[in-house]
Amino acid sequence: THPYQVLRNRTFAAALILACAALTVRIAVEASASESARTGGFAAYYTAATLLRSGVPAVDLYDERTFRHAVAATVPPINDIYNGPPPALAASIPLSLLEHDAARRVWIVCDLACFAAAIVMLCAILGMGGHWLAAPIGIALVFTPLYDNLRYAQSYGVITLLMTVCWFGICRAHNG
């Protein structure tokens, strides 16, 4: 290998790693700013889980007027409705044992961990390693839905991991 080629590969790898580090800092700043935000979406799931734990029947979660009042009382000043399926509350019920802001922080960290695990798993499925691993990580870190996920404390990371696990299973079954 020509010395210039080695230097170019190392420079490229260093640039990818630095870019990923910078984007990781950006994610950390965004997550920090988002962790105490009060937005719809998470507030609805949190309130619905809190109501279920207190004995409210699941069917009552879909009464918009009653639910809007419950959200406003639980997570002021949010005005939201619950429109998710009851099984979607499975992850929210344990979180409802915490205060809203703490639950939101825990959820954001868990969701980011799921997103990171999905990226690593995708790289493994695609046979990517070494400094090339930084490329999909960098792309993921500039992925706009990731920032929306943080801002609204949604579940894109969990969903991405579940879809990746399914794809891994299909690939594994196909390859014998």
Side-chain angles (χ1 to χ4, degrees), residues 20 23-24 26-27 112 115-120 122-123 133-150 160:
C20 285
L23 292 169
T24 301
R26 181 177 174 219
I27 284 278
L112 279 173
F115 194 76
I119 291 171
V120 169
L122 283 169
C123 290
L133 186 59
I137 292 171
I139 291 167
L141 290 174
V142 296
F143 191 50
T144 301
L146 180 60
Y147 292 96
D148 289 340
N149 183 53
L150 291 172
T160 303

Side-chain angles (χ1 to χ4, degrees), residues 47-49 51-64 67 82-89 93:
T47 302
L51 292 172
L52 279 179
R53 270 193 328 102
S54 70
V56 171
V59 70
D60 291 349
L61 301 177
Y62 299 98
D63 178 351
E64 285 187 28
F67 192 78
Y82 179 73
N83 58 6
L89 292 172
I93 290 175

Side-chain angles (χ1 to χ4, degrees), residues 128-167:
M128 298 179 81
H131 65 275
W132 288 108
L133 186 59
I137 292 171
I139 291 167
L141 290 174
V142 296
F143 191 50
T144 301
L146 180 60
Y147 292 96
D148 289 340
N149 183 53
L150 291 172
R151 189 173 300 110
Y152 297 107
Q154 297 295 301
S155 58
Y156 298 133
V158 173
I159 293 167
T160 303
L161 179 60
L162 292 174
M163 291 189 323
T164 303
V165 167
C166 291
W167 186 31

Side-chain angles (χ1 to χ4, degrees), residues 98-133:
L98 303 170
E99 292 295 322
H100 174 270
D101 293 348
R104 185 178 171 90
R105 279 191 287 277
V106 167
W107 180 251
I108 288 171
V109 168
C110 289
D111 197 55
L112 279 173
C114 287
F115 194 76
I119 291 171
V120 169
M121 191 175 224
L122 283 169
C123 290
I125 291 169
L126 296 172
M128 298 179 81
H131 65 275
W132 288 108
L133 186 59

